[in-house]
Amino acid sequence: MSGDLVPPKREVRLSDAEREGVIARLSAAVAEGRLTLPEFEERVDGVMRARTDVEVQPFLADLPEVAGPIAPDEVVELNSHAGELKRSGRWAVPRKLLVRSKAGSVKLDLRHAVFGSRVVEIDLATQAGSTTIVLPPGATANIDRLNTSAGTASAKVPSTPEPGSTAPHVVVTGSTAAGSMVMRYERRFWRWTW
């Protein structure tokens, strides 16, 4: 009938998967050159604080529509030979990270990273070097599927998440040879953290 009032659109709470999808869409916009890294960081902060679908719309309003579900980057590969491979600060972590390093050091500092997925797989293929992975507080990691040869692997964090936890969980697979792999939380001494 004409003159009928249209009820206002109901606000729906965001699920974890929907929030991850919005962050993946923002990450894709950075890769396409539509957003700068500071704009991305600001919008991700807003998305993480948003509770409903209506609250995230302003962060996507000036981006083109995407057909179908939004998928975050599935796999990213990092390579180094006889050098240092380092990620720190605020960076986007994909669902699966392939790390390839020979005769060098790897440090993945995840304390301030943006996780597109709650569970992240890190597939290592490292030789003759050290690998250090620093997790944010409350995160967990499982290294049971990592093979070592003439080296060591240790996790100084819990291996399974607490029931209902929303903190990131990292699963390390692959191999490390003639080197070391350490999974830990931030270290503190007086005013210094590393």
Side-chain angles (χ1 to χ4, degrees):
M1 283 187 188
S2 63
D4 285 350
L5 293 175
V6 177
K9 184 177 184 248
R10 191 171 75 108
E11 291 188 26
V12 178
R13 285 197 173 261
L14 286 173
S15 69
D16 289 341
E18 290 167 332
R19 191 180 314 275
E20 289 173 11
V22 172
I23 292 172
R25 187 166 168 195
L26 294 172
S27 181
V30 171
E32 294 167 358
R34 297 180 191 278
L35 293 176
T36 65
L37 198 52
E39 288 172 322
F40 170 76
E41 292 171 357
E42 182 180 312
R43 291 182 189 207
V44 167
D45 286 340
V47 170
M48 295 306 290
R49 285 192 304 270
R51 291 174 298 149
T52 66
D53 58 344
V54 172
E55 291 175 9
V56 298
Q57 290 310 310
F59 303 111
L60 302 172
D62 60 347
L63 298 176
E65 290 294 320
V66 176
I70 302 162
D73 288 343
E74 289 296 319
V75 181
V76 172
E77 186 169 347
L78 303 175
N79 291 288
S80 176
H81 185 76
E84 180 183 48
L85 182 58
K86 185 175 183 180
R87 292 292 182 272
S88 63
R90 197 162 174 84
W91 60 288
V93 180
R95 290 183 192 270
K96 185 170 186 177
L97 188 60
L98 305 175
V99 179
R100 310 293 181 242
S101 176
K102 292 182 181 179
S105 66
V106 175
K107 183 170 185 183
L108 302 176
D109 186 343
L110 304 174
R111 292 175 296 169
H112 306 290
V114 176
F115 288 81
S117 174
R118 195 182 78 72
V119 178
V120 171
E121 181 183 348
I122 299 177
D123 182 66
L124 295 180
T126 59
Q127 297 175 352
S130 64
T131 301
T132 303
I133 303 172
V134 184
L135 297 181
T140 54
N142 185 311
I143 65 168
D144 293 345
R145 291 172 40 205
L146 178 67
N147 296 313
T148 60
S149 175
T152 62
S154 66
K156 300 176 181 185
V157 301
S159 63
T160 55
E162 291 290 327
S165 172
T166 58
H169 179 67
V170 176
V171 177
V172 180
T173 62
S175 64
T176 183
S180 64
M181 194 290 300
V182 176
M183 180 79 67
R184 64 175 176 81
Y185 291 130
E186 173 180 272
R187 291 183 177 154
R188 294 175 174 269
F189 177 73
W190 198 28
R191 289 184 258 174
W192 296 280
T193 59
W194 69 97

